[in-house]
Amino acid sequence: MTRANYALAIGRMVTNMGAMIMPMLTLILNQKFGLTASETALWIMLAGLINLPANLIGGQLADRISKKAMIIACDVVSITIYLICGVKAFNFASFIMIMVASFFQTIEGPAYSALVALVTPPGKEDKAFSIQYMGANVGFILAPIIGGFLFNNYLWLCFIIDAVTIAMSTVLIILFVDEKGYQTEEAETTTNNAPATQVTPATQANPAAKGFITILIKTNKPVILFMLAFALYEGGYSQFSYLMPIDFAKYHGDMGATIYGTVMSVSCFLVVILTPIITQIVESRSNQWKLIAGVAAQILSFGVFLVSLGHIPAYYIAIAIFIVGEILTMLCFSPYIVQAVGPEYRGRAFGWVSFLGALASGYVMWYSGRYVDANDDRNAWIFTIVICVVSLALSILLDFATKTRPQTKTRPQTEKGCPNIQL
């Protein structure tokens, strides 16, 4: 691992230590503004729709301009907004400003993932993204507990803390991340040494093709399957921050935010403990296997939550199973993209997965919110489980398609100056 890898991981950890606003967005809309479950879902879905183009814009920019400069610029906007929200009276205009900050944080997402891949030594992708994931969750251990206690009377302080921690992360990136990383070496070896299934200029069926998705359809359909399966998984995953806190508030009243905070903190603690263990256990397994096992664990965890609504001890059993699934899917997601997509297109690949995931999340939240408003919480969870089952089916199909896909030992060469691919 390089110094940049650790700087990015620590930056993620510091940022998440202060990330109290977005995880509590459901509670802010539901309790501070008194919106119903479906109204809350509608606003979150609207925010998600606004962020949809941000995923694609961010992916496009990440492949064209400095990823480091892009992250810094987006962070400056978010810091400014959170500071303003912290010092002004909280009202619905604050929610709009939160959405603007979220838009810029979403834009930088593909660049952040692509930057991690860029500074990572070849063959170390699994470890690099595992460190990122652990850093993110170490930060989340304290954030939800503090946010839960501050929520009722000191929400303004959550904004200030969020701004300060993002600023600290930005300083780390400025000082310790060299964007050159392994870019030169990777660019030289991509054409000759990358897996035969990797999407690079050399694998283009038609160098004049104008669409990234068109290239995938023509040269690597399994990547499309992966994107769809992971997007539906994300749709189910979104219930962790939407349906779960709503149910906590419904069954436990004013204690709902505090209980949700402790459940999130327990989940982050389990991530720190279990990530290295699970990483070691499944090291030899394929990315497709990890995706299948991860989605299956998420289905099981939602099943436990479904049959135990209102029983606090069962929440922690469900979240433990959920975290096992989350770790497994984390271990397959970024490494799969890095190994299947060349460096020229990774920003767009990450952007498209985020785009599809946000679309699925918005739909799942909106539809399950209708069940909640009808006082039908159990069917809301059943609907979520059905979405995850579809994701599982696609994951199994992906595994089959990957195993039966013809592999070649040599890679065709491409002329230098191949046209850039547009979305």
Side-chain angles (χ1 to χ4, degrees), residues 21-26 28-29 33 40-54 74 77-78 81-82 85 90-107 159 162 365:
I21 300 303
M22 294 310 296
M24 294 193 301
L25 191 57
T26 296
I28 290 174
L29 292 172
F33 296 120
T40 299
L42 185 62
W43 277 102
I44 292 179
M45 185 173 68
L46 178 61
L49 289 173
I50 293 172
N51 280 341
L52 284 179
C74 290
V77 174
S78 298
I81 289 175
Y82 282 136
C85 287
F90 187 77
N91 51 37
F92 209 77
S94 302
F95 171 73
I96 302 301
M97 295 181 71
I98 293 171
M99 291 303 96
V100 174
S102 175
F103 184 85
F104 280 92
Q105 289 292 293
T106 302
I107 283 181
F159 288 100
D162 215 344
M365 284 190 289

Side-chain angles (χ1 to χ4, degrees), residues 65-398:
I65 65 175
S66 166
K67 298 171 182 61
K68 179 176 176 179
M70 184 175 159
I71 292 169
I72 293 170
C74 290
D75 280 350
V76 169
V77 174
S78 298
I79 292 166
T80 303
I81 289 175
Y82 282 136
L83 286 175
I84 293 173
C85 287
V87 299
K88 67 183 288 292
F90 187 77
N91 51 37
F92 209 77
S94 302
F95 171 73
I96 302 301
M97 295 181 71
I98 293 171
M99 291 303 96
V100 174
S102 175
F103 184 85
F104 280 92
Q105 289 292 293
T106 302
I107 283 181
E108 79 170 53
Y112 207 101
S113 297
L115 184 59
V116 173
L118 194 64
V119 301
T120 300
K124 299 290 185 180
E125 292 87 2
D126 285 12
K127 184 176 180 181
F129 284 101
S130 177
I131 292 172
Q132 286 290 314
Y133 178 67
M134 284 191 63
N137 282 279
V138 167
F140 266 133
I141 288 176
L142 291 178
I145 293 179
I146 299 173
F149 283 111
L150 295 177
F151 177 77
N152 289 325
N153 300 310
Y154 299 99
L155 185 59
W156 64 270
L157 188 55
C158 293
F159 288 100
I160 301 298
I161 294 173
D162 215 344
V164 171
T165 53
I166 292 175
M168 293 171 64
S169 172
T170 307
V171 170
L172 284 173
I173 292 173
I174 292 172
L175 295 179
F176 298 111
V177 177
D178 181 359
E179 191 170 2
K180 292 180 180 179
Y182 282 81
Q183 185 176 21
T184 302
E185 179 181 346
E186 186 172 23
E188 292 174 352
T189 59
T190 291
T191 301
N192 296 319
N193 299 327
T197 56
Q198 190 178 77
V199 179
T200 67
T203 61
Q204 293 180 36
N206 176 11
K210 295 183 179 181
F212 173 65
I213 297 299
T214 301
I215 289 179
L216 292 181
I217 293 173
K218 290 183 177 180
T219 66
N220 203 339
K221 292 182 179 66
V223 177
I224 298 289
L225 279 175
F226 176 84
M227 287 181 171
L228 293 175
F230 200 87
L232 291 177
Y233 159 79
E234 287 281 289
Y237 182 91
S238 66
Q239 301 295 58
F240 176 58
S241 60
Y242 169 67
L243 191 53
M244 198 174 289
I246 283 180
D247 277 343
F248 287 173
K250 177 178 179 179
Y251 286 95
H252 306 289
D254 291 339
M255 289 296 295
T258 301
I259 293 172
Y260 180 59
T262 61
V263 168
M264 285 192 68
S265 294
V266 167
S267 73
C268 295
F269 176 77
L270 288 174
V271 164
V272 175
I273 299 299
L274 295 178
T275 296
I277 297 173
I278 294 177
T279 300
Q280 186 68 27
I281 292 174
V282 302
E283 185 176 10
S284 61
R285 296 286 187 171
S286 68
N287 289 320
Q288 301 86 254
W289 184 93
K290 294 170 188 174
L291 181 61
I292 292 170
V295 176
Q298 178 164 280
I299 293 171
L300 178 59
S301 71
F302 287 164
V304 172
F305 197 84
L306 170 64
V307 300
S308 61
L309 289 174
H311 301 283
I312 296 176
Y315 299 158
Y316 299 98
I317 297 174
I319 206 63
I321 301 172
F322 180 89
I323 289 305
V324 171
E326 182 181 354
I327 293 171
L328 287 168
T329 51
M330 175 280 304
L331 289 173
C332 82
F333 170 55
S334 295
Y336 183 94
I337 295 297
V338 171
Q339 293 164 18
V341 180
E344 299 88 351
Y345 312 131
R346 284 177 191 157
R348 276 163 282 189
F350 284 117
W352 268 101
V353 175
S354 298
F355 173 86
L356 294 172
L359 198 63
S361 298
Y363 173 74
V364 172
M365 284 190 289
W366 175 75
Y367 207 85
S368 62
R370 295 177 63 184
Y371 281 116
V372 174
D373 281 345
N375 201 30
D376 196 0
D377 301 52
R378 295 191 180 279
N379 274 337
W381 283 106
I382 291 173
F383 166 71
T384 302
I385 290 171
V386 169
I387 293 294
C388 294
V389 168
V390 177
S391 174
L392 180 62
L394 289 173
S395 302
I396 294 172
L397 182 60
L398 167 66

